Amino acid sequence: TGESSFRHEYSFVSITIKKDLSEENVLISQASFQGENLFSRSTYHFAESEAEDGISYLESSEVHALTLNFEEPATVTEESGYTLFLLCNPQSLVEDSGFSISYQRYTASTNKLGKQFEAGKYYQFVLRLTKEELKVEGCEVSDWVSEKLPEIAIEEIPS
């Protein structure tokens, strides 16, 4: 508690994709989340006081998109959909962030994931894939409390 208490410096994001296409088998081969400087490389530094502690972005490391290519396509199930979890830098964006998926021979995207990503917050987006679009069905923002998160299995280590 107080000055020595732990706090998250990044934003935690989950994106659940659900489908209206009950007869179609949706296999995601790629997913991309875009936003200015959301994924730039950084380090955390400790300073003389808590107020000076924080994130330092590495020079020439601006990254505006995180693209995940699936070796084995991810299946969007009828009941629970498919959920991605990621960390991003805290940012107040000028333009809305975006998200897109590639599945079979199609691409669907939305630019409606918002502009604000605060440190220590958990952003839960629910997107629905229809024949026409990938639309935001819901968004819940809460404090990032690790004890209340679903169990997340990490199946591979990125290179």
Side-chain angles (χ1 to χ4, degrees):
T1 61
E3 280 190 33
S4 61
S5 65
F6 176 82
R7 68 178 190 270
H8 294 284
E9 290 296 322
Y10 294 95
S11 300
F12 186 50
V13 178
S14 71
I15 300 173
T16 300
I17 302 155
K18 297 194 170 190
K19 65 177 183 171
D20 270 355
L21 315 168
S22 58
E23 70 286 344
E24 191 171 332
N25 191 17
V26 176
L27 301 171
I28 300 172
S29 58
Q30 185 180 77
S32 182
F33 189 49
Q34 306 91 25
E36 186 174 343
N37 207 30
L38 280 179
F39 302 102
S40 299
R41 292 178 52 199
S42 61
T43 59
Y44 186 82
H45 64 272
F46 294 96
E48 294 289 323
S49 71
E50 178 188 7
E52 297 172 313
D53 289 352
I55 297 172
S56 297
Y57 295 103
L58 302 178
E59 286 185 42
S60 304
S61 74
E62 282 195 10
V63 179
H64 307 302
L66 176 67
T67 300
L68 305 169
N69 293 302
F70 298 88
E71 285 183 23
E72 295 292 323
T75 303
V76 178
T77 63
E78 196 74 38
E79 315 77 47
S80 59
Y82 181 78
T83 303
L84 294 163
F85 295 95
L86 51 102
L87 296 175
C88 67
N89 296 320
Q91 292 292 330
S92 292
L93 303 173
V94 175
E95 296 180 13
D96 276 322
S97 56
F99 181 77
S100 64
I101 59 169
S102 296
Y103 65 102
Q104 280 85 320
R105 61 183 189 277
Y106 306 106
T107 299
S109 62
T110 181
N111 289 322
K112 307 274 189 221
L113 298 189
K115 298 177 183 178
Q116 193 68 34
F117 294 92
E118 293 181 50
K121 296 293 183 183
Y122 177 34
Y123 295 82
Q124 298 175 72
F125 295 99
V126 177
L127 308 180
R128 179 146 316 261
L129 178 63
T130 68
K131 286 190 180 219
E132 295 81 33
E133 64 183 337
L134 185 61
K135 66 179 181 177
V136 178
E137 192 170 80
C139 175
E140 183 179 326
V141 180
S142 59
D143 288 331
W144 179 358
V145 180
S146 300
E147 292 80 19
K148 294 182 181 179
L149 294 176
E151 187 156 325
I152 301 169
I154 299 174
E155 297 173 3
E156 61 182 74
I157 299 171
S159 54

